[in-house]
Amino acid sequence: FFWLSLNVWLFWKTFLLYYQGLQYYYLHQMLGLGLCVSRASASVLNLNCCLVLLPMCRVLLAFLRGSQKVASRKTRRLLDKSKTFHVTCGVTICIFSVLHVAAHLVNALNFSENYNEDFLSLNAANYRGEVSQQSFYILLLIPGLTGVIMVLVLFLMCTASTYAIRVSNYDIFWYTHNLFFVFYMLLMLHVSGGVLKYQTNLEEHPPGCFNPNKTLRENMTMPKAFEESFPDYTTEPFPEDLSVPEPFVQNNFMRICSEEPKFQSHFPETWFWISGPLCLYCVERLYRYIRSNKPVTITSVISHPSNVLEVRMMKDDFKARPGQYVILHCPRVSALESHPFTLTMCPTDTKATFGVHLKVVGDWTERFRDLLLLHSNQDAEILPIFQQRRYPKLYVDGPFGSPFEESLNYEVSLCVAGGIGVTPFASVLNTLLDGWKCYKLRRLYFIWVCRDIESFRWFADLLCMLRDKLWQENRPDYINIQLYLSQTDGIQKIIGEKYQALNSRLLIGRPRWKLLFDEIAKCNRRKTIGVFCCGPNKISKILHKLSNSSNSYGTRFEYNKESFS
């Protein structure tokens, strides 16, 4: 709502500038409201085209999120809304582009119908009625041609960004979204046409003045805005022996101009708006390319139940914080395509290995799995790097920040995972297994909801090791584990003696979220609890609503969310 209000305010202020500005008087006489609407929408487009790139500067966001001296917790939580802000800017660009195109179509017609024979430099058409006789002539100019192509590119990017296309065919979304570079190059050319012009010599030629050395073709009246802007403008008595048209005589006085009006094209302001963010984004992409240019060393590949693949890697000078994610690129799978995956294991001072868990759900992950596993139909397979198996080259870009980095900065955190959404919390649990005393976190509520019992095997060993470690250190209350199962088939077959510690944590059905929040609030009175969710939108909406609701214990819940959509 705030961003919408800001854009509407900017639109209105620019509209008034062109509606009341004396330097646009003659142009406004030709184009009418089409001039005001086209320029006002252009100002909104400049702002949003400038800011839409900033949320995509992932290295910058990761730096700001990881530096507590630079950004406070509230600022870091605002950075977590970067994706939402990017989408908001994109929708705003689409809406005001439609308005901008419609206004310029009206301008093209007015340039032809209101051809100015007194000030030829103002005209975009060559003669009166040109558009009606040659409809697409003006569109073939640089602004019109680039504008048409930009509309087509924007249409492709907008339609391919819908949720249905992203889920059904992510490749279409990825490839069309990379057309943004073409869009920005066309935008730089679009503003270089100089079709709209403003008057530069207002002092020597006030709009609507009378030139005694020239016979005007049509009568003009003095705008009221001129009298307000030039209250001290000098006038002379009207000579009785000079024949002047009647409209220019008022109370025996006339307004006389000393020279013809001079018009000049606007300097392309769009360059000022987008050059900075575009250069910043290009520099960051170059830095990311250099940083990820060397392939990683794959140490092992593990096939888990329910089509989940674990890849463990090593890379020189790779550092990451729990909760961050990386972007994987395998040229043998796709020359251009890459995908983000959350780190489930971060490198530490004692081990350089890091890893990801990925669920095989699409073409890219299927091809990637087939390249990594010798026999992809086996239930589990560990292939050390020292075997004769040659893994494909894999490049890692990152790490990048996410909201889950904050989970260790609260005194109490509630982490809720749905299915494969457990991956961000796996790195947090691995970090706590290495040592928890150096972090602010003193109590962790971990809730994991899965449809089948097989999914819990992904991190069952990790949960058991962390529980045993905390019991040995006399801190069994440090972590509260609750596992919820939607389907009950085969429980006894999977949950046996090896995972006996998890039997008491396993519950059938879905969590009763309201009772859960009340219990946590009661046990942590007058504290601020960080709520972190990675899972289906249905669970996310429920947690968001409960986090914003008040309770009688003075406990405050701060909601954070990660989404793979």
Side-chain angles (χ1 to χ4, degrees), residues 186-217:
L186 291 172
L187 183 59
M188 302 284 271
L189 295 175
H190 179 70
V191 299
S192 62
V195 176
L196 302 180
K197 301 175 182 179
Y198 67 98
Q199 185 182 344
T200 58
N201 58 339
L202 293 177
E203 293 287 344
E204 296 79 9
H205 185 104
C209 68
F210 171 68
N211 188 351
N213 298 323
K214 183 178 180 180
T215 302
L216 300 181
R217 293 180 179 272

PDB file of all heavy atoms in Angstrom, residues 186-217:
ATOM      1  N   LEU A 186      16.938  -1.520 -24.915  1.00  0.00           N
ATOM      2  CA  LEU A 186      15.923  -0.813 -25.690  1.00  0.00           C
ATOM      3  C   LEU A 186      15.438   0.436 -24.963  1.00  0.00           C
ATOM      4  O   LEU A 186      15.141   1.457 -25.601  1.00  0.00           O
ATOM      5  CB  LEU A 186      14.745  -1.749 -25.966  1.00  0.00           C
ATOM      6  CG  LEU A 186      15.013  -2.920 -26.922  1.00  0.00           C
ATOM      7  CD1 LEU A 186      13.818  -3.860 -26.950  1.00  0.00           C
ATOM      8  CD2 LEU A 186      15.336  -2.417 -28.320  1.00  0.00           C
ATOM      9  N   LEU A 187      15.372   0.370 -23.648  1.00  0.00           N
ATOM     10  CA  LEU A 187      14.944   1.531 -22.871  1.00  0.00           C
ATOM     11  C   LEU A 187      15.931   2.676 -23.010  1.00  0.00           C
ATOM     12  O   LEU A 187      15.538   3.855 -23.088  1.00  0.00           O
ATOM     13  CB  LEU A 187      14.786   1.133 -21.400  1.00  0.00           C
ATOM     14  CG  LEU A 187      14.282   2.214 -20.451  1.00  0.00           C
ATOM     15  CD1 LEU A 187      12.906   2.726 -20.885  1.00  0.00           C
ATOM     16  CD2 LEU A 187      14.210   1.680 -19.018  1.00  0.00           C
ATOM     17  N   MET A 188      17.209   2.362 -23.054  1.00  0.00           N
ATOM     18  CA  MET A 188      18.215   3.401 -23.251  1.00  0.00           C
ATOM     19  C   MET A 188      18.065   4.071 -24.613  1.00  0.00           C
ATOM     20  O   MET A 188      18.262   5.287 -24.747  1.00  0.00           O
ATOM     21  CB  MET A 188      19.620   2.793 -23.119  1.00  0.00           C
ATOM     22  CG  MET A 188      19.879   2.112 -21.791  1.00  0.00           C
ATOM     23  SD  MET A 188      20.175   3.262 -20.442  1.00  0.00           S
ATOM     24  CE  MET A 188      21.926   3.472 -20.571  1.00  0.00           C
ATOM     25  N   LEU A 189      17.703   3.287 -25.624  1.00  0.00           N
ATOM     26  CA  LEU A 189      17.489   3.860 -26.954  1.00  0.00           C
ATOM     27  C   LEU A 189      16.148   4.574 -27.055  1.00  0.00           C
ATOM     28  O   LEU A 189      16.017   5.552 -27.790  1.00  0.00           O
ATOM     29  CB  LEU A 189      17.553   2.754 -28.014  1.00  0.00           C
ATOM     30  CG  LEU A 189      18.899   2.053 -28.206  1.00  0.00           C
ATOM     31  CD1 LEU A 189      18.753   0.904 -29.196  1.00  0.00           C
ATOM     32  CD2 LEU A 189      19.956   3.037 -28.685  1.00  0.00           C
ATOM     33  N   HIS A 190      15.186   4.090 -26.313  1.00  0.00           N
ATOM     34  CA  HIS A 190      13.827   4.632 -26.399  1.00  0.00           C
ATOM     35  C   HIS A 190      13.781   6.111 -26.030  1.00  0.00           C
ATOM     36  O   HIS A 190      13.016   6.881 -26.629  1.00  0.00           O
ATOM     37  CB  HIS A 190      12.908   3.821 -25.478  1.00  0.00           C
ATOM     38  CG  HIS A 190      11.489   4.296 -25.460  1.00  0.00           C
ATOM     39  ND1 HIS A 190      10.637   4.144 -26.533  1.00  0.00           N
ATOM     40  CD2 HIS A 190      10.767   4.929 -24.495  1.00  0.00           C
ATOM     41  CE1 HIS A 190       9.455   4.651 -26.242  1.00  0.00           C
ATOM     42  NE2 HIS A 190       9.506   5.137 -25.014  1.00  0.00           N
ATOM     43  N   VAL A 191      14.576   6.508 -25.059  1.00  0.00           N
ATOM     44  CA  VAL A 191      14.518   7.892 -24.568  1.00  0.00           C
ATOM     45  C   VAL A 191      15.416   8.834 -25.360  1.00  0.00           C
ATOM     46  O   VAL A 191      15.499  10.024 -25.041  1.00  0.00           O
ATOM     47  CB  VAL A 191      14.908   7.943 -23.075  1.00  0.00           C
ATOM     48  CG1 VAL A 191      13.945   7.125 -22.248  1.00  0.00           C
ATOM     49  CG2 VAL A 191      16.341   7.440 -22.873  1.00  0.00           C
ATOM     50  N   SER A 192      16.086   8.314 -26.399  1.00  0.00           N
ATOM     51  CA  SER A 192      17.024   9.150 -27.153  1.00  0.00           C
ATOM     52  C   SER A 192      16.391   9.800 -28.376  1.00  0.00           C
ATOM     53  O   SER A 192      17.067  10.466 -29.146  1.00  0.00           O
ATOM     54  CB  SER A 192      18.232   8.319 -27.595  1.00  0.00           C
ATOM     55  OG  SER A 192      17.825   7.271 -28.463  1.00  0.00           O
ATOM     56  N   GLY A 193      15.080   9.606 -28.587  1.00  0.00           N
ATOM     57  CA  GLY A 193      14.442  10.143 -29.774  1.00  0.00           C
ATOM     58  C   GLY A 193      14.252  11.647 -29.743  1.00  0.00           C
ATOM     59  O   GLY A 193      14.341  12.326 -30.762  1.00  0.00           O
ATOM     60  N   GLY A 194      13.991  12.222 -28.582  1.00  0.00           N
ATOM     61  CA  GLY A 194      13.810  13.661 -28.455  1.00  0.00           C
ATOM     62  C   GLY A 194      12.565  14.184 -29.158  1.00  0.00           C
ATOM     63  O   GLY A 194      12.590  15.274 -29.744  1.00  0.00           O
ATOM     64  N   VAL A 195      11.459  13.437 -29.103  1.00  0.00           N
ATOM     65  CA  VAL A 195      10.227  13.857 -29.779  1.00  0.00           C
ATOM     66  C   VAL A 195       9.554  14.998 -29.034  1.00  0.00           C
ATOM     67  O   VAL A 195       9.100  15.974 -29.630  1.00  0.00           O
ATOM     68  CB  VAL A 195       9.276  12.658 -29.939  1.00  0.00           C
ATOM     69  CG1 VAL A 195       7.952  13.101 -30.555  1.00  0.00           C
ATOM     70  CG2 VAL A 195       9.927  11.578 -30.801  1.00  0.00           C
ATOM     71  N   LEU A 196       9.478  14.903 -27.706  1.00  0.00           N
ATOM     72  CA  LEU A 196       8.825  15.925 -26.892  1.00  0.00           C
ATOM     73  C   LEU A 196       9.836  17.016 -26.533  1.00  0.00           C
ATOM     74  O   LEU A 196      10.930  16.721 -26.054  1.00  0.00           O
ATOM     75  CB  LEU A 196       8.245  15.293 -25.624  1.00  0.00           C
ATOM     76  CG  LEU A 196       7.237  14.163 -25.849  1.00  0.00           C
ATOM     77  CD1 LEU A 196       6.740  13.618 -24.526  1.00  0.00           C
ATOM     78  CD2 LEU A 196       6.072  14.629 -26.709  1.00  0.00           C
ATOM     79  N   LYS A 197       9.431  18.269 -26.739  1.00  0.00           N
ATOM     80  CA  LYS A 197      10.345  19.393 -26.543  1.00  0.00           C
ATOM     81  C   LYS A 197       9.710  20.437 -25.636  1.00  0.00           C
ATOM     82  O   LYS A 197       8.486  20.548 -25.553  1.00  0.00           O
ATOM     83  CB  LYS A 197      10.710  20.025 -27.889  1.00  0.00           C
ATOM     84  CG  LYS A 197      11.370  19.055 -28.852  1.00  0.00           C
ATOM     85  CD  LYS A 197      11.612  19.680 -30.207  1.00  0.00           C
ATOM     86  CE  LYS A 197      12.232  18.662 -31.176  1.00  0.00           C
ATOM     87  NZ  LYS A 197      12.466  19.242 -32.514  1.00  0.00           N
ATOM     88  N   TYR A 198      10.543  21.215 -24.966  1.00  0.00           N
ATOM     89  CA  TYR A 198      10.074  22.274 -24.079  1.00  0.00           C
ATOM     90  C   TYR A 198      10.710  23.597 -24.503  1.00  0.00           C
ATOM     91  O   TYR A 198      11.732  23.637 -25.192  1.00  0.00           O
ATOM     92  CB  TYR A 198      10.436  21.962 -22.626  1.00  0.00           C
ATOM     93  CG  TYR A 198      11.914  21.975 -22.322  1.00  0.00           C
ATOM     94  CD1 TYR A 198      12.514  23.100 -21.766  1.00  0.00           C
ATOM     95  CD2 TYR A 198      12.714  20.859 -22.588  1.00  0.00           C
ATOM     96  CE1 TYR A 198      13.876  23.122 -21.493  1.00  0.00           C
ATOM     97  CE2 TYR A 198      14.069  20.868 -22.321  1.00  0.00           C
ATOM     98  CZ  TYR A 198      14.644  22.006 -21.778  1.00  0.00           C
ATOM     99  OH  TYR A 198      15.979  22.027 -21.514  1.00  0.00           O
ATOM    100  N   GLN A 199      10.099  24.709 -24.095  1.00  0.00           N
ATOM    101  CA  GLN A 199      10.578  26.035 -24.458  1.00  0.00           C
ATOM    102  C   GLN A 199      11.675  26.474 -23.503  1.00  0.00           C
ATOM    103  O   GLN A 199      11.556  26.319 -22.278  1.00  0.00           O
ATOM    104  CB  GLN A 199       9.425  27.039 -24.445  1.00  0.00           C
ATOM    105  CG  GLN A 199       9.813  28.426 -24.925  1.00  0.00           C
ATOM    106  CD  GLN A 199       8.657  29.404 -24.864  1.00  0.00           C
ATOM    107  OE1 GLN A 199       7.509  28.995 -24.751  1.00  0.00           O
ATOM    108  NE2 GLN A 199       8.972  30.689 -24.926  1.00  0.00           N
ATOM    109  N   THR A 200      12.736  27.073 -24.053  1.00  0.00           N
ATOM    110  CA  THR A 200      13.888  27.456 -23.237  1.00  0.00           C
ATOM    111  C   THR A 200      13.969  28.953 -22.966  1.00  0.00           C
ATOM    112  O   THR A 200      14.641  29.364 -22.025  1.00  0.00           O
ATOM    113  CB  THR A 200      15.189  27.006 -23.931  1.00  0.00           C
ATOM    114  OG1 THR A 200      15.258  27.609 -25.229  1.00  0.00           O
ATOM    115  CG2 THR A 200      15.236  25.486 -24.070  1.00  0.00           C
ATOM    116  N   ASN A 201      13.318  29.806 -23.753  1.00  0.00           N
ATOM    117  CA  ASN A 201      13.452  31.262 -23.600  1.00  0.00           C
ATOM    118  C   ASN A 201      12.147  31.890 -23.108  1.00  0.00           C
ATOM    119  O   ASN A 201      11.489  32.653 -23.820  1.00  0.00           O
ATOM    120  CB  ASN A 201      13.902  31.904 -24.908  1.00  0.00           C
ATOM    121  CG  ASN A 201      12.933  31.608 -26.053  1.00  0.00           C
ATOM    122  OD1 ASN A 201      12.165  30.641 -26.006  1.00  0.00           O
ATOM    123  ND2 ASN A 201      12.953  32.464 -27.071  1.00  0.00           N
ATOM    124  N   LEU A 202      11.754  31.533 -21.888  1.00  0.00           N
ATOM    125  CA  LEU A 202      10.507  32.067 -21.334  1.00  0.00           C
ATOM    126  C   LEU A 202      10.593  33.562 -21.063  1.00  0.00           C
ATOM    127  O   LEU A 202       9.598  34.288 -21.172  1.00  0.00           O
ATOM    128  CB  LEU A 202      10.151  31.322 -20.044  1.00  0.00           C
ATOM    129  CG  LEU A 202       9.778  29.843 -20.193  1.00  0.00           C
ATOM    130  CD1 LEU A 202       9.534  29.228 -18.823  1.00  0.00           C
ATOM    131  CD2 LEU A 202       8.567  29.676 -21.079  1.00  0.00           C
ATOM    132  N   GLU A 203      11.767  34.056 -20.712  1.00  0.00           N
ATOM    133  CA  GLU A 203      11.908  35.484 -20.419  1.00  0.00           C
ATOM    134  C   GLU A 203      11.725  36.320 -21.686  1.00  0.00           C
ATOM    135  O   GLU A 203      11.072  37.358 -21.674  1.00  0.00           O
ATOM    136  CB  GLU A 203      13.295  35.751 -19.814  1.00  0.00           C
ATOM    137  CG  GLU A 203      13.507  35.136 -18.438  1.00  0.00           C
ATOM    138  CD  GLU A 203      12.749  35.875 -17.362  1.00  0.00           C
ATOM    139  OE1 GLU A 203      12.321  37.007 -17.636  1.00  0.00           O
ATOM    140  OE2 GLU A 203      12.594  35.323 -16.258  1.00  0.00           O
ATOM    141  N   GLU A 204      12.321  35.870 -22.782  1.00  0.00           N
ATOM    142  CA  GLU A 204      12.240  36.624 -24.025  1.00  0.00           C
ATOM    143  C   GLU A 204      10.938  36.389 -24.772  1.00  0.00           C
ATOM    144  O   GLU A 204      10.494  37.238 -25.546  1.00  0.00           O
ATOM    145  CB  GLU A 204      13.420  36.256 -24.941  1.00  0.00           C
ATOM    146  CG  GLU A 204      14.787  36.638 -24.389  1.00  0.00           C
ATOM    147  CD  GLU A 204      15.283  35.642 -23.352  1.00  0.00           C
ATOM    148  OE1 GLU A 204      14.638  34.583 -23.192  1.00  0.00           O
ATOM    149  OE2 GLU A 204      16.310  35.917 -22.699  1.00  0.00           O
ATOM    150  N   HIS A 205      10.332  35.233 -24.533  1.00  0.00           N
ATOM    151  CA  HIS A 205       9.094  34.929 -25.247  1.00  0.00           C
ATOM    152  C   HIS A 205       8.120  34.241 -24.282  1.00  0.00           C
ATOM    153  O   HIS A 205       8.022  33.013 -24.258  1.00  0.00           O
ATOM    154  CB  HIS A 205       9.368  34.023 -26.450  1.00  0.00           C
ATOM    155  CG  HIS A 205       8.153  33.769 -27.291  1.00  0.00           C
ATOM    156  ND1 HIS A 205       7.944  34.391 -28.501  1.00  0.00           N
ATOM    157  CD2 HIS A 205       7.066  32.973 -27.111  1.00  0.00           C
ATOM    158  CE1 HIS A 205       6.806  33.987 -29.013  1.00  0.00           C
ATOM    159  NE2 HIS A 205       6.260  33.112 -28.183  1.00  0.00           N
ATOM    160  N   PRO A 206       7.410  35.028 -23.458  1.00  0.00           N
ATOM    161  CA  PRO A 206       6.393  34.421 -22.588  1.00  0.00           C
ATOM    162  C   PRO A 206       5.311  33.772 -23.439  1.00  0.00           C
ATOM    163  O   PRO A 206       4.914  34.333 -24.478  1.00  0.00           O
ATOM    164  CB  PRO A 206       5.856  35.608 -21.797  1.00  0.00           C
ATOM    165  CG  PRO A 206       6.891  36.665 -21.925  1.00  0.00           C
ATOM    166  CD  PRO A 206       7.523  36.469 -23.264  1.00  0.00           C
ATOM    167  N   PRO A 207       4.835  32.600 -23.060  1.00  0.00           N
ATOM    168  CA  PRO A 207       3.816  31.914 -23.856  1.00  0.00           C
ATOM    169  C   PRO A 207       2.584  32.785 -24.064  1.00  0.00           C
ATOM    170  O   PRO A 207       2.050  33.385 -23.134  1.00  0.00           O
ATOM    171  CB  PRO A 207       3.483  30.676 -23.017  1.00  0.00           C
ATOM    172  CG  PRO A 207       4.703  30.437 -22.219  1.00  0.00           C
ATOM    173  CD  PRO A 207       5.263  31.786 -21.911  1.00  0.00           C
ATOM    174  N   GLY A 208       2.156  32.864 -25.316  1.00  0.00           N
ATOM    175  CA  GLY A 208       0.974  33.625 -25.643  1.00  0.00           C
ATOM    176  C   GLY A 208       1.217  35.088 -25.914  1.00  0.00           C
ATOM    177  O   GLY A 208       0.257  35.843 -26.109  1.00  0.00           O
ATOM    178  N   CYS A 209       2.475  35.542 -25.955  1.00  0.00           N
ATOM    179  CA  CYS A 209       2.763  36.954 -26.192  1.00  0.00           C
ATOM    180  C   CYS A 209       2.559  37.319 -27.660  1.00  0.00           C
ATOM    181  O   CYS A 209       2.435  36.448 -28.526  1.00  0.00           O
ATOM    182  CB  CYS A 209       4.181  37.285 -25.742  1.00  0.00           C
ATOM    183  SG  CYS A 209       5.455  36.509 -26.765  1.00  0.00           S
ATOM    184  N   PHE A 210       2.550  38.657 -27.936  1.00  0.00           N
ATOM    185  CA  PHE A 210       2.342  39.140 -29.309  1.00  0.00           C
ATOM    186  C   PHE A 210       3.654  39.604 -29.892  1.00  0.00           C
ATOM    187  O   PHE A 210       4.400  40.369 -29.282  1.00  0.00           O
ATOM    188  CB  PHE A 210       1.340  40.297 -29.305  1.00  0.00           C
ATOM    189  CG  PHE A 210       1.246  40.993 -30.640  1.00  0.00           C
ATOM    190  CD1 PHE A 210       0.701  40.344 -31.741  1.00  0.00           C
ATOM    191  CD2 PHE A 210       1.724  42.290 -30.788  1.00  0.00           C
ATOM    192  CE1 PHE A 210       0.624  40.983 -32.969  1.00  0.00           C
ATOM    193  CE2 PHE A 210       1.648  42.922 -32.013  1.00  0.00           C
ATOM    194  CZ  PHE A 210       1.087  42.284 -33.106  1.00  0.00           C
ATOM    195  N   ASN A 211       3.934  39.097 -31.096  1.00  0.00           N
ATOM    196  CA  ASN A 211       5.132  39.504 -31.822  1.00  0.00           C
ATOM    197  C   ASN A 211       4.722  40.492 -32.914  1.00  0.00           C
ATOM    198  O   ASN A 211       4.094  40.108 -33.912  1.00  0.00           O
ATOM    199  CB  ASN A 211       5.804  38.278 -32.444  1.00  0.00           C
ATOM    200  CG  ASN A 211       7.156  38.611 -33.059  1.00  0.00           C
ATOM    201  OD1 ASN A 211       7.521  39.787 -33.171  1.00  0.00           O
ATOM    202  ND2 ASN A 211       7.888  37.577 -33.451  1.00  0.00           N
ATOM    203  N   PRO A 212       5.028  41.783 -32.766  1.00  0.00           N
ATOM    204  CA  PRO A 212       4.590  42.778 -33.750  1.00  0.00           C
ATOM    205  C   PRO A 212       5.243  42.602 -35.110  1.00  0.00           C
ATOM    206  O   PRO A 212       4.777  43.157 -36.091  1.00  0.00           O
ATOM    207  CB  PRO A 212       5.005  44.108 -33.118  1.00  0.00           C
ATOM    208  CG  PRO A 212       6.128  43.769 -32.215  1.00  0.00           C
ATOM    209  CD  PRO A 212       5.824  42.392 -31.686  1.00  0.00           C
ATOM    210  N   ASN A 213       6.336  41.827 -35.168  1.00  0.00           N
ATOM    211  CA  ASN A 213       7.033  41.635 -36.442  1.00  0.00           C
ATOM    212  C   ASN A 213       6.515  40.435 -37.224  1.00  0.00           C
ATOM    213  O   ASN A 213       7.058  40.071 -38.251  1.00  0.00           O
ATOM    214  CB  ASN A 213       8.531  41.459 -36.202  1.00  0.00           C
ATOM    215  CG  ASN A 213       9.141  42.702 -35.568  1.00  0.00           C
ATOM    216  OD1 ASN A 213       8.751  43.813 -35.901  1.00  0.00           O
ATOM    217  ND2 ASN A 213      10.065  42.498 -34.643  1.00  0.00           N
ATOM    218  N   LYS A 214       5.469  39.794 -36.712  1.00  0.00           N
ATOM    219  CA  LYS A 214       4.972  38.596 -37.373  1.00  0.00           C
ATOM    220  C   LYS A 214       3.471  38.513 -37.235  1.00  0.00           C
ATOM    221  O   LYS A 214       2.924  38.795 -36.174  1.00  0.00           O
ATOM    222  CB  LYS A 214       5.628  37.347 -36.772  1.00  0.00           C
ATOM    223  CG  LYS A 214       5.202  36.056 -37.463  1.00  0.00           C
ATOM    224  CD  LYS A 214       5.928  34.883 -36.856  1.00  0.00           C
ATOM    225  CE  LYS A 214       5.525  33.585 -37.523  1.00  0.00           C
ATOM    226  NZ  LYS A 214       6.200  32.426 -36.973  1.00  0.00           N
ATOM    227  N   THR A 215       2.812  38.174 -38.292  1.00  0.00           N
ATOM    228  CA  THR A 215       1.363  38.000 -38.253  1.00  0.00           C
ATOM    229  C   THR A 215       1.061  36.559 -37.864  1.00  0.00           C
ATOM    230  O   THR A 215       1.474  35.624 -38.545  1.00  0.00           O
ATOM    231  CB  THR A 215       0.752  38.296 -39.628  1.00  0.00           C
ATOM    232  OG1 THR A 215       1.094  39.622 -40.001  1.00  0.00           O
ATOM    233  CG2 THR A 215      -0.759  38.148 -39.585  1.00  0.00           C
ATOM    234  N   LEU A 216       0.347  36.397 -36.739  1.00  0.00           N
ATOM    235  CA  LEU A 216       0.036  35.047 -36.248  1.00  0.00           C
ATOM    236  C   LEU A 216      -1.156  34.474 -36.993  1.00  0.00           C
ATOM    237  O   LEU A 216      -2.052  35.201 -37.424  1.00  0.00           O
ATOM    238  CB  LEU A 216      -0.256  35.094 -34.750  1.00  0.00           C
ATOM    239  CG  LEU A 216       0.900  35.613 -33.896  1.00  0.00           C
ATOM    240  CD1 LEU A 216       0.500  35.587 -32.436  1.00  0.00           C
ATOM    241  CD2 LEU A 216       2.155  34.810 -34.122  1.00  0.00           C
ATOM    242  N   ARG A 217      -1.172  33.175 -37.124  1.00  0.00           N
ATOM    243  CA  ARG A 217      -2.232  32.527 -37.882  1.00  0.00           C
ATOM    244  C   ARG A 217      -3.481  32.301 -37.037  1.00  0.00           C
ATOM    245  O   ARG A 217      -4.556  32.113 -37.580  1.00  0.00           O
ATOM    246  CB  ARG A 217      -1.744  31.173 -38.424  1.00  0.00           C
ATOM    247  CG  ARG A 217      -0.653  31.316 -39.483  1.00  0.00           C
ATOM    248  CD  ARG A 217      -0.232  29.937 -39.967  1.00  0.00           C
ATOM    249  NE  ARG A 217       0.791  30.050 -40.999  1.00  0.00           N
ATOM    250  CZ  ARG A 217       0.539  30.171 -42.280  1.00  0.00           C
ATOM    251  NH1 ARG A 217      -0.708  30.233 -42.706  1.00  0.00           N
ATOM    252  NH2 ARG A 217       1.517  30.255 -43.155  1.00  0.00           N
TER     253      ARG A 217
END
